[in-house]
Amino acid sequence: TEDELKERYMGCEDLVQQLMPYCQRKRDENPAWSTAEILRKVARAVHSKAWGQSPDEIDWIVEKVASGLGWPSPGAGNSAPS
């Protein structure tokens, strides 16, 4: 339903807002890590938490985090857990 879709969007957007400062902190703490590596680690972590996001939602979240931080996009499907 439209309400369910809105709820999922809001949950994903909330996660984006929480992950942006986390990713920036990880970048500051680990300057040798590439932004792509940080985003992959975050995608794996979100997937492993079983918070209910689909792979497409995780890709969207990672894309939004990258965009919000001004980092290069990891590309669709590249943030999926491996």
Side-chain angles (χ1 to χ4, degrees), residues 22-37:
Y22 173 81
C23 287
Q24 187 60 59
R25 187 175 74 246
K26 288 298 176 186
R27 179 76 169 146
D28 294 343
E29 292 171 353
N30 304 284
W33 290 1
S34 69
T35 57
E37 184 177 2

Side-chain angles (χ1 to χ4, degrees), residues 4-21:
E4 292 169 330
L5 185 59
K6 183 178 179 180
E7 185 176 326
R8 291 192 73 79
Y9 171 82
M10 296 302 291
C12 289
E13 186 61 41
D14 181 58
L15 198 48
V16 167
Q17 296 305 314
Q18 293 179 50
L19 288 172
M20 283 196 306

Side-chain angles (χ1 to χ4, degrees), residues 37-58:
E37 184 177 2
I38 293 168
L39 295 170
R40 279 193 302 274
K41 289 174 184 279
V42 165
R44 282 194 299 268
V46 171
H47 179 75
S48 72
K49 300 292 184 193
W51 289 328
Q53 287 82 16
S54 71
D56 286 341
E57 288 171 330
I58 293 171

